[in-house]
Every structure is written in C-alpha cells, then in structure tokens.
Amino acid sequence: MTMTSDIPTAARRTLAFRVGIPLIVLLAALLTMAGVGLLGTQLAQQNLAEARATKAAAIADSVQAELERALFHGIPLDRLPGLDEYLGGIAQRNPDTGFIAVLGEKDQVLQAVGLEPDRLAGLIHAMRDVAEPASRAVAARPVEREGYLVVRMRLRDAGETVSHTLGHVLVGVHPRAIRAQILRELTVVALGALAVTLLLAEMSAALVSAILLAPLRRLSAVMASAALGDFSTLVGRRPRDQLGRLLLACNAAVFLMHDRRQRFAAHADEVRSAVFDAEVARAVEAARDRTLDALGPGLATPPRRVVDARASDAQGYVALAVAAAALAAAAAVPAARGVPEDVPAFLAAGGVALLAGLLAGRSAPARRVRGAALLAGLAVACGAVLLLRGAALSGLVAALAGGGLAAGLSLAYVRRQVRGGAGTVLRATAVALVAALLWAVALDWNGGELAASALVLSLLALPVARPFVIPRS
C-alpha cells in the first residue's frame, strides 16, 4: 500500500525536477538580461546624450557659418531663399536631432523643423534668461530647457560690431527620445536573446537527457528488474566517464552472476556424474534444482543489450529542423507582402507542402528513416538558399516540406519506439516555433537575414539526426 502510494509522488517529483530546472535557468537568464539591460540603458543614455549634444553643437556651428556667409553677402536673414529646404535636408540626414530653428533679431521664428510652433514658442520664452555666451566654446555647451538639451549660436554680421546680434540658431535633442531609442534597441536584443535561449534550452534539455537522465533511468529499470530476479538485460554502452564506469560495473555484476550460476550448474552436474550412489545423486539433483529455482529464471539465459530508444533522441533534431523551416517561412513574408495578390498562392502552396511532408514522415518505413531525416534537413537548406536567391515561393515550399517531414519522422519515431514520447517532440516543436517568431521580430522580418539563419539551423540539424537515425544499443 505504501509502495503504491509512493509511485505518484515520485513521478510528480521527477516531473517537477525536469520542468523546474529549465524554468529556473530560464528565469535566471531573464533576470540577468534585465539587470544588464537596465545598467546598459543608464550608461548608454548618458553617453548618447553627450554624443548627441556634441552633434547638435556641430550642426549649430555649421548652420551658423552658412547663414553668416549669406549675411556677409548682404542677404537679409528673413529673406534668405531655400532656408526651409536647407534645414529640412539637415534634419533628414540627422534623424536623431530633435529640432532645428532659426530665429530673428527679436527672437521671432523665421524657420523651424522638428518641433511644433507652440512648444517652440515656450522653449524660446524659457531661454530668455540665458545670457549670451562670451565665446564659441561656451556657446557649444547645451542648456537644458523644457526637457530638451539646446545649443544656441548667435548670428552676427561681419560688417557690424561683435555685440550686434542679428538672430540665433537653435538645435535641440530630447533625452527622452534617447531613452526610447535605447529601449527599442534593448527590446530587439532581448527578443533575439530570448529566442536563442529557448532554442539552446531545448537542445540542452535533450543533451542532458541523453547524457545523464536516460542512462540513470535505464539503470533504475535494470536494477528494478534485477530485484525481481530478472537479469536478462544490460545497460547500453557509455563513454568511460563516471557514469559510464557505473553502468559498466552494473553490467559486469550481471555477467558475473550469470557466470557463477552457470558454473554452479556445471559443477553440480559434474558431482552428479561422479557419484554412483543413487540416493546421493538424487540429493545432489534436488539441491541443484532448489538452488536454481531460488536464483530464478532471470539468470538462465545470457544477458543481452536492448535498443535504448528515447524521445530525447528526436528532440534536438526536430527543434532545429522546425525552427529552420519556420525561419524560412518568415523570410518569405516580405516577398508575399510585396505582391498582395500572391498571398493566397503562398498560403496554399506552403500549407500543402507542410501537410505532405508531415504525412510522408509519419508513414516512412523504419529502414528509410535515415535517408528521410537527411533529406528533410537538406530540403530546408535548399529552401533557404532559394529564398536568398529571390525565389520566394519555391523556397517556401521546399522549406515547409522539409520541416513537415522532420516533424513527421520524429513523431513516427517516438510512436514506434518510445512510450509516451510524443509530448517531448510536440513541446520541442512549439518551442522552435516560438523561438523562430521571436527571432523574426528581432530582425524586423528581414528576409535575407532570416533565410541565412534558416540555412545555418538546417545544416546544424543534419548531424543531430544521428541518435534516432542510428539507434543506440
């Protein structure tokens, strides 16, 4: 009764361990990224604010020099032709600049870009208490007013005295805009890092399961069978690490017990053959039979290795292959958006290719799995290459057919050889799709970069297919 009630508790603890460790690692990674992001935001905001203020001073100095040259030739400031196009061109070439304004002698606005008239009027009013700088170096220092860092340069006529001011040039940057830009860039970096973390976590889970959890689980099953008298199974091969030596010792113990049983039976037969007294011979036979019955039938046959199939064998492969196919599909999105009337054709062709690949993988015979797995990875790689060359529709079809084939092969593998392993494959598929979506958002749906990413992942999926293409023993 106690043993029966402990089984669900042990299963829950095992599940909590398997789920909890990746979640803790992922949470730690997210907290680390958040802390580094906040520190980076503060440092970058300070450095960028200084850099933009320096840039604003350089723009103001350049505009001042150009306008003073016009004033030197006798062109009045309020009648200077093309001033709006000139300032607009500067603002277009420097989108990180908040605003540029040219003021007249009485601080009236002659031309401005980048700021609403009401806000500009309030900012001009707030700067009336700022004294005229004594030198150009002082004028290049920004003044903070109305949430802006403003550089003010005065315009003078070379033919007049230095103290006579004909107007001002104002160039301002917004610190909050700097923070918003940093946050946008950090968001992009965080999305990309999260995508990579999810895919790496899935691959790490498959690796840990293959290297540590699966051998220990197999050893536990062998020892449980041995406790019931069944010594017919050996643990699979392992490298000569600590765990491998443990499994080797378990196999050696099983072989030793089988060897001693065989020796005992052979020795008993020799004793029986050497005795001529029928009563003694019967006693020897009875002792031999009782001993062999006590040892159980599990030692009667030589122990053998069995195929050590597990869901983690397909986990890494399907994660990489499906992620590559999803990235290739995302790479085809910009091409489909460019020609809206072709969107139905893209959706229909992609859906048919995905379904065909999935059905082909589910129905592939066991002897064809190796070639089909390699074909799936190569199909996704070819699709990525076609997308890089501009063949969006054919690249989409090839990539989705390969991704569907990889998913179908993995599901068929766990259905045939692993009990209850479909959940692992489906989870790896879902994680791959989410990671691909996050990566696409981080790259702003850039078709070329997404296709290149798909090509890299598809090539990485080829060697990862080996564990379930060539069964472990």
Side-chain angles (χ1 to χ4, degrees):
M1 189 70 181
T2 304
M3 183 177 296
T4 305
S5 62
D6 287 343
I7 292 176
T9 303
R12 286 195 298 268
R13 290 177 178 175
T14 301
L15 180 62
F17 175 79
R18 294 181 62 186
V19 175
I21 294 299
L23 288 179
I24 291 175
V25 173
L26 184 60
L27 180 61
L30 292 177
L31 290 177
T32 303
M33 288 167 55
V36 172
L38 290 176
L39 292 176
T41 300
Q42 294 179 356
L43 294 176
Q45 181 179 351
Q46 180 180 358
N47 293 333
L48 281 178
E50 295 176 356
R52 288 194 177 183
T54 303
K55 185 176 181 180
I59 293 174
D61 187 69
S62 175
V63 174
Q64 178 197 38
E66 293 293 334
L67 295 181
E68 287 186 345
R69 186 179 294 111
L71 293 174
F72 175 76
H73 290 289
I75 304 175
L77 194 60
D78 55 352
R79 298 179 183 178
L80 191 63
L83 182 58
D84 51 348
E85 290 86 355
Y86 172 67
L87 297 181
I90 295 176
Q92 187 176 4
R93 291 190 300 271
N94 301 276
D96 52 347
T97 302
F99 70 92
I100 306 174
V102 176
L103 309 183
E105 187 175 358
K106 298 181 179 179
D107 285 340
Q108 72 275 20
V109 179
L110 301 180
Q111 194 61 246
V113 292
L115 195 62
E116 297 82 2
D118 295 339
R119 295 193 62 185
L120 181 58
L123 190 145
I124 294 172
H125 180 75
M127 292 194 65
R128 288 181 176 176
D129 60 339
V130 180
E132 289 289 348
S135 64
R136 182 178 294 270
V138 176
R141 298 174 185 173
V143 179
E144 186 173 359
R145 289 292 186 276
E146 300 292 322
Y148 282 89
L149 294 176
V150 184
V151 176
R152 185 174 70 170
M153 296 281 188
R154 62 177 180 173
L155 299 172
R156 297 162 300 182
D157 190 345
E160 301 289 341
T161 61
V162 175
S163 62
H164 185 63
T165 301
L166 298 178
H168 291 90
V169 176
L170 301 183
V171 180
V173 294
H174 205 313
R176 292 183 181 178
I178 299 174
R179 175 177 293 183
Q181 180 184 356
I182 295 173
L183 290 178
R184 286 194 300 269
E185 294 175 354
L186 283 178
T187 302
V188 170
V189 173
L191 289 176
L194 182 58
V196 175
T197 302
L198 286 175
L199 203 56
L200 286 179
E202 197 64 28
M203 297 299 297
S204 300
L207 184 63
V208 169
S209 178
I211 293 178
L212 183 62
L213 296 181
L216 290 178
R217 195 180 302 116
R218 186 64 182 159
L219 177 62
S220 176
V222 169
M223 298 307 293
S225 299
L228 298 176
D230 182 8
F231 294 89
S232 62
T233 305
L234 297 176
V235 187
R237 298 185 182 93
R238 280 280 306 177
R240 292 302 180 90
D241 54 7
Q242 296 294 334
L243 185 56
R245 285 194 285 269
L246 173 62
L247 301 183
L248 184 62
C250 177
N251 290 343
V254 171
F255 267 114
L256 182 62
M257 293 185 65
H258 172 73
D259 181 66
R260 290 189 175 182
R261 182 213 185 266
Q262 297 302 105
R263 289 186 180 184
F264 170 78
H267 184 66
D269 289 338
E270 290 178 1
V271 173
R272 167 68 182 82
S273 301
V275 173
F276 297 99
D277 189 336
E279 184 176 353
V280 175
R282 284 193 297 271
V284 171
E285 290 180 356
R288 181 196 65 184
D289 294 340
R290 285 195 304 271
T291 303
L292 294 179
D293 291 340
L295 291 175
L299 290 172
T301 58
R304 60 185 179 84
R305 289 186 175 91
V306 296
V307 175
D308 189 15
R310 54 233 185 189
S312 60
D313 291 342
Q315 182 180 359
Y317 170 74
V318 72
L320 289 175
V322 170
L327 288 174
V333 170
R337 286 178 179 174
V339 187
E341 57 271 16
D342 290 345
V343 172
F346 274 79
L347 293 177
V352 170
L354 179 62
L355 182 60
L358 185 62
L359 294 177
R362 291 293 300 270
S363 59
R367 64 181 182 276
R368 303 292 185 186
V369 170
R370 182 175 187 179
L374 297 176
L375 179 62
L378 292 175
V380 179
C382 290
V385 172
L386 289 173
L387 286 166
L388 288 173
R389 288 179 167 271
L393 183 58
S394 56
L396 174 68
V397 170
L400 289 183
L405 180 59
L409 289 172
S410 302
L411 289 172
Y413 173 79
V414 297
R415 177 174 56 86
R416 292 168 183 165
Q417 303 192 42
V418 184
R419 183 180 178 182
T424 300
V425 172
L426 293 176
R427 186 196 67 203
T429 302
V431 169
L433 293 175
V434 173
L437 177 61
L438 292 174
W439 189 253
V441 174
L443 294 182
D444 197 20
W445 300 91
N446 186 291
E449 295 179 356
L450 290 173
S453 303
L455 179 60
V456 171
L457 291 184
S458 63
L459 295 178
L460 290 177
L462 296 178
V464 181
R466 189 179 187 278
F468 78 97
V469 168
I470 303 176
R472 303 170 188 266
S473 61

